[in-house]
């Protein structure tokens, strides 16, 4: 029988994500193990892990895959052996974050994808059959784009891939990114800002997150759809990590492993739109209706890049995109 001293604290972003984590993971885990789990809503989950006091305050946190790789490189994550996480075998090897000793330091329990969201009153899915279509002059003043800190690792990488490059070779994406930037009406500053621009038809399209389109659909929005270009979409996995030196380590490993199970992942997907990483999970029934593609077909076109390369060159690339945006003709 566990007591308050055994409580685990999981840090995640506020709002719907926290509610989903509480309902799909924390509460069922506590019901099954009697180990209490508190959900802490924080604005910067990676910042929590970087805090010197993290190990005494937090057990786990949800971070972007990009941040998980960066935190691992900085030696800030608690390592686990594969045998401590029995359900690890059900997660694709290529998305497990490992340290230099091949220990597990981050495991994605869900992922979204980065495609092209569009207002169906102003455009149609075929208009964005390719990522390169975003550079068509007909969209001048009709697109939006995210800030350089995200455009560099996300938009630039996908535009590079669409033109024969990759996460390692982003040069083929630079000319088309310039064209996309020239077509943008505005750089959006928050997800809520972008939701408004898109639903009101102030912009026709934007490279955007599948989870946001999922939420808009659940809220009854009828005029926002997601295009999946022929070159594929970027896989954005979100990893559960633990701060180096975490207390209650054994119980923490149990909670991480619980998040890898198919059943809670499917529940989380239904609630929040994040797609299961467990290979045995069957995605929500209305996934195909929402995104116009089957589970099997999406997995054929989802692109999981080499994030270590992206992290390694991130500062240089962000600076490059900042200059492109600053010098773009408007």
């Amino acid at each position: 029988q566990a007591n308050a001293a055994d409580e685990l604290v999981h840090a995640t972003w506020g709002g719907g994500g926290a509610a989903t984590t509480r309902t799909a993971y924390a509460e069922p885990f506590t019901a099954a193990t009697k180990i209490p789990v508190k959900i802490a809503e924080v604005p910067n989950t990676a910042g929590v892990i970087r805090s010197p006091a993290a190990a005494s305050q937090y057990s786990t946190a949800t971070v972007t895959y990009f941040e998980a790789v960066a935190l691992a490189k900085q030696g800030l994550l608690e390592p686990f052996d594969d045998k401590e996480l029995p359900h690890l075998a059900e997660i694709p090897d290529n998305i497990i974050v490992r340290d230099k000793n091949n220990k597990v330091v981050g495991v994605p329990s869900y992922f979204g994808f980065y495609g092209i969201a569009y207002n169906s009153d102003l455009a149609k899915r075929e208009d964005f059959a390719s990522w390169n279509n975003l550079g068509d002059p007909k969209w001048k003043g009709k697109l939006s784009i995210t800030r350089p800190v995200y455009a560099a690792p996300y938009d630039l990488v996908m535009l590079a891939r669409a033109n024969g490059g990759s996460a390692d070779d982003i040069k083929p994406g630079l000319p088309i990114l310039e064209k996309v930037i020239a077509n943008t009406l505005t750089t959006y500053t928050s997800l809520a800002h972008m939701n408004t621009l898109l639903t009101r038809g102030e912009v026709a399209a934007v490279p955007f997150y599948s989870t946001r389109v999922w939420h808009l659909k659940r809220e009854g929005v009828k005029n926002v759809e997601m295009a999946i270009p022929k070159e594929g979409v970027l896989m954005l996995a979100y990893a559960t990590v633990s701060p180096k030196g975490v207390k209650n380590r054994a119980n923490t490993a149990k909670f991480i492993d619980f998040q890898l199970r198919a059943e809670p992942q499917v529940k989380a997907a239904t609630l929040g739109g994040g797609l299961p990483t467990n290979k045995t999970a069957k995605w929500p029934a209305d996934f195909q209706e929402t995104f116009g593609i089957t589970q099997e077909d999406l997995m054929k076109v989802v692109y999981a890049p080499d994030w270590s390369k992206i992290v390694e060159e991130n500062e240089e690339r962000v600076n490059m995109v900042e200059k492109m945006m600053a010098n773009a003709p408007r």
Side-chain angles (χ1 to χ4, degrees):
Q1 194 76 8
N3 55 45
D6 297 311
E7 181 181 69
L8 303 180
V9 180
H10 179 88
T12 191
W13 302 281
T20 295
T21 302
R22 186 177 293 109
T23 303
Y25 297 113
E27 292 174 354
F29 175 76
T30 298
T33 64
K34 308 303 181 190
I35 300 169
V37 178
K38 176 183 176 182
I39 303 300
E41 300 185 21
V42 300
N44 183 349
T45 57
V48 159
I49 298 295
R50 289 190 173 94
S51 166
S56 63
Q57 293 185 34
Y58 300 95
S59 312
T60 51
T62 301
V63 300
T64 65
Y65 196 90
F66 178 90
E67 287 284 15
V69 173
L71 292 166
K73 283 180 175 290
Q74 294 162 6
L76 297 175
L77 302 178
E78 180 69 16
F80 295 91
D81 290 323
D82 288 36
K83 64 183 179 182
E84 294 180 89
L85 307 169
H87 289 86
L88 191 70
E90 296 166 15
I91 306 300
D93 290 336
N94 66 320
I95 63 170
I96 298 169
V97 184
R98 295 182 182 274
D99 65 10
K100 60 184 179 181
N101 299 315
N102 205 37
K103 300 290 187 180
V104 179
V105 291
V107 189
S109 61
Y110 72 97
F111 74 95
F113 61 87
Y114 199 65
I116 301 173
Y118 64 94
N119 181 299
S120 58
D121 297 328
L122 303 174
K124 53 187 183 295
R125 188 169 272 126
E126 302 81 66
D127 287 329
F128 304 105
S130 168
W131 282 93
N132 291 327
N133 293 148
L134 290 168
D136 191 319
K138 76 176 184 178
W139 300 117
K140 178 74 174 178
K142 297 179 180 178
L143 304 181
S144 186
I145 195 168
T146 187
R147 292 171 292 155
V149 67
Y150 297 112
Y154 297 171
D155 301 59
L156 179 55
V157 167
M158 280 311 303
L159 291 170
R161 181 172 170 80
N163 290 280
S166 66
D168 290 0
D169 176 19
I170 49 89
K171 287 182 180 179
L174 294 172
I176 185 66
L177 180 59
E178 285 187 331
K179 293 180 180 179
V180 176
I181 291 171
N183 281 344
T184 59
L185 173 70
T186 184
T187 299
Y188 70 87
T189 55
S190 70
L191 297 179
H193 179 208
M194 191 61 245
N195 289 348
T196 300
L197 292 172
L198 201 54
T199 56
R200 290 184 180 176
E202 295 179 43
V203 298
V206 61
F208 209 39
Y209 307 92
S210 61
T211 49
R212 295 313 307 158
V213 173
W214 180 275
H215 278 288
L216 289 172
K217 291 281 196 180
R218 295 306 164 281
E219 291 167 3
V221 173
K222 303 291 186 183
N223 65 347
V224 175
E225 304 288 346
M226 178 67 86
I228 297 175
K230 64 183 180 182
E231 300 93 358
V233 289
L234 184 66
M235 183 183 200
L236 296 178
Y238 295 84
T240 298
V241 300
S242 189
K244 190 72 173 285
V246 64
K247 64 179 183 180
N248 290 339
R249 189 180 181 284
N251 286 346
T252 296
K254 290 178 183 177
F255 184 49
I256 293 174
D257 187 64
F258 186 84
Q259 294 179 56
L260 305 183
R261 298 184 182 192
E263 184 178 355
Q265 285 194 12
V266 172
K267 187 172 185 178
T270 302
L271 292 170
L275 301 171
T277 56
N278 187 300
K279 293 179 286 189
T280 71
K282 291 298 179 186
W283 296 0
D286 50 355
F287 169 82
Q288 183 174 347
E289 180 183 344
T290 300
F291 295 116
I293 192 170
T294 65
Q295 172 182 347
E296 291 74 20
D297 286 342
L298 176 70
M299 294 312 295
K300 293 175 185 175
V301 298
V302 73
Y303 174 46
D306 179 358
W307 285 101
S308 61
K309 185 69 173 179
I310 295 174
V311 169
E312 182 183 323
E313 300 189 4
N314 188 54
E315 185 175 352
E316 177 186 342
R317 293 179 182 182
V318 170
N319 289 338
M320 190 185 307
V321 175
E322 283 178 345
K323 290 177 183 176
M324 291 173 69
M325 288 185 175
N327 298 328
R330 298 293 181 182

